[in-house]
């Protein structure tokens, strides 16, 4: 059996959460509701009449997708290679997702993904090495 590469597993979890967050933000435009409105009505201004929370969820979901399935110009850059940046950004995405009624499931996925990324970080895993530090494939001549 091979080793579990935890940052790849976390990447798939975060990709799922980001895609789900985009869907919940779009659904939030149609049915605006704050998850915590059973306790207080103070947060209702974040979803209507101006959909601030939905827009922020949509942007964070798109950023999560662009980060985990990197665009050509983003792949290999310092933020893309850094687990630390991910451990800073994804709790914010999870918090924004928790506030929206439709986004409670992606918030749970984000929390699980953050936990797995932290596990990978604590074991010293790296997301992707710098290309010029990789060994050449045809270096062995037989």
């Amino acid at each position: 059996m091979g080793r579990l590469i935890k940052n790849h597993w976390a990447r798939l979890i975060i990709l799922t959460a980001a895609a789900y967050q985009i869907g919940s933000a779009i659904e939030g435009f149609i049915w605006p509701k704050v998850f915590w409105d059973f306790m207080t009505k103070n947060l209702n201004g974040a979803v209507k009449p101006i959909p601030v929370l939905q827009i922020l969820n949509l942007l964070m979901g798109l950023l999560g997708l662009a980060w985990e399935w990197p665009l050509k110009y983003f792949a290999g850059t310092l933020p893309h290679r850094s687990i630390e940046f991910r451990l800073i950004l994804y709790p914010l995405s999870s918090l924004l997702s928790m506030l929206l009624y439709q986004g409670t499931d992606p918030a749970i996925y984000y929390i699980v993904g953050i936990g797995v990324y932290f596990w990978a970080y604590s074991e010293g895993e790296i997301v992707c090495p710098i290309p010029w530090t990789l060994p050449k494939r045809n270096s062995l001549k037989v």
Side-chain angles (χ1 to χ4, degrees):
M1 296 278 311
R3 277 183 63 197
L4 172 65
I5 302 173
K6 288 164 272 316
N7 67 49
H8 289 303
W9 182 34
R11 178 180 163 265
L12 295 174
I13 294 169
I14 297 292
L15 273 171
T16 304
Y20 204 166
Q21 186 178 18
I22 291 171
S24 67
I26 292 170
E27 189 176 336
F29 284 115
I30 301 167
W31 297 286
K33 185 171 169 102
V34 175
F35 179 70
W36 304 102
D37 68 348
F38 61 89
M39 293 176 68
T40 180
K41 302 292 184 198
N42 292 338
L43 296 174
N44 284 347
V47 292
K48 54 185 173 182
I50 301 170
V52 175
L53 192 57
Q54 293 95 318
I55 292 171
L56 288 175
N57 271 296
L58 184 64
L59 291 176
M60 292 304 274
L62 289 172
L63 180 65
L65 276 181
W67 203 333
E68 296 299 335
W69 196 309
L71 300 171
K72 179 180 177 183
Y73 301 107
F74 193 60
T77 61
L78 179 65
H80 177 250
R81 293 189 319 258
S82 174
I83 293 179
E84 295 92 349
F85 284 156
R86 287 175 166 92
L87 289 174
I88 293 170
L89 176 79
Y90 292 141
L92 179 64
S93 293
S94 179
L95 175 68
L96 287 172
S97 188
M98 272 185 231
L99 292 174
L100 195 62
Y101 176 74
Q102 293 87 350
T104 53
D105 287 343
I108 295 169
Y109 294 156
Y110 271 122
I111 290 170
V112 171
I114 291 165
V116 175
Y117 262 131
F118 184 75
W119 184 16
Y121 176 73
S122 65
E123 289 192 357
E125 287 189 13
I126 56 173
V127 172
C128 62
I130 303 171
W132 56 84
T133 63
L134 292 174
K136 295 182 181 175
R137 288 185 179 215
N138 297 330
S139 61
L140 297 175
K141 302 275 183 175
V142 179

